[in-house]
Amino acid sequence: MNLKKFLSAMILSVMLIFGGKVEAADYYSAIYQTVNRYNGNEVECDWITRAILYASSEYQVDPILITSIMEAESEFNFHCVSPVGAVGLMQLMPSTAAGLGVNPHNPLENIIGGTIYIKNQLGRFKDWGAYSVTDAVAAYNAGPGAVEKHGGVPNYSETVHYVIKVANNYKNLLTLIQS
């Protein structure tokens, strides 16, 4: 699948190129600017940015990936609930949150839960080769069973669009870091 190859290569290459070479202040600035596009409240933008950086540090997940997923999921909205019942900033289903031992209505626990969930998916698909990050992102949206059943990103319109959105969010955040 050309789309899958493109997205995987883009996400993986930018993670490799920028991994470990970016100052914490650069991450803070890029994430804050991104959050601020959706939420003009300085205190909330600062809190969300610091929560992302905390979860990233605590669980060793790329903060740009966490931010990209959160932007795609909720546009940094504390109170959003999807039509299927996903809750909060990283849009955790109540059953997923319960399985992770977090309260999806508590913003910090929600972010931590989403971070743990994507970390689990990254671990689950790490041996899938060059497409592993893309498959993990697809699993965040469609569930790992769907990704395993289809041998990669399922050809579901919602999931394909989601993976593209996360990849574009990631690229935009990297542009902010570079500037």
Side-chain angles (χ1 to χ4, degrees):
M1 176 183 201
N2 287 339
L3 172 65
K4 181 178 176 181
K5 187 174 184 178
F6 166 76
L7 294 171
S8 293
M10 182 173 81
I11 290 175
L12 188 58
S13 66
V14 294
M15 288 174 79
L16 292 173
I17 290 167
F18 291 98
K21 296 182 181 179
V22 178
E23 298 293 323
D26 295 332
Y27 279 122
Y28 178 90
S29 178
I31 294 168
Y32 183 94
Q33 287 178 57
T34 302
V35 174
N36 193 46
R37 283 198 320 249
Y38 298 94
N39 179 341
N41 181 312
E42 291 179 12
V43 172
E44 289 182 7
C45 291
D46 178 67
W47 186 91
I48 293 168
T49 301
R50 290 180 188 282
I52 290 167
L53 292 171
Y54 169 78
S56 167
S57 175
E58 190 71 19
Y59 296 97
Q60 298 301 296
V61 176
D62 177 3
I64 301 303
L65 182 59
I66 296 169
T67 306
S68 298
I69 289 170
M70 191 182 302
E71 182 177 7
E73 289 290 345
S74 68
E75 296 179 343
F76 311 103
N77 183 336
F78 285 98
H79 308 290
C80 70
V81 177
S82 77
V84 296
V87 177
L89 302 174
M90 291 182 76
Q91 290 289 276
L92 295 178
M93 291 298 292
S95 60
T96 302
L100 295 167
V102 298
N103 174 356
H105 298 282
N106 176 303
L108 183 57
E109 288 187 36
N110 186 293
I111 293 169
I112 288 170
T115 300
I116 292 169
Y117 191 73
I118 190 60
K119 180 182 177 105
N120 291 345
Q121 302 319 308
L122 291 165
R124 187 174 192 153
F125 294 102
K126 72 178 177 172
D127 295 329
W128 283 42
Y131 307 127
S132 63
V133 175
T134 300
D135 292 330
V137 169
Y140 193 97
N141 175 263
V147 174
E148 289 169 347
K149 177 182 174 185
H150 292 273
V153 177
N155 194 20
Y156 306 155
S157 178
E158 176 187 336
T159 302
V160 169
H161 285 64
Y162 178 81
V163 170
I164 292 169
K165 189 173 190 176
V166 171
N168 285 333
N169 293 347
Y170 198 101
K171 181 180 168 191
N172 291 339
L173 278 154
L174 288 176
T175 299
L176 287 173
I177 289 171
Q178 290 178 316
S179 59

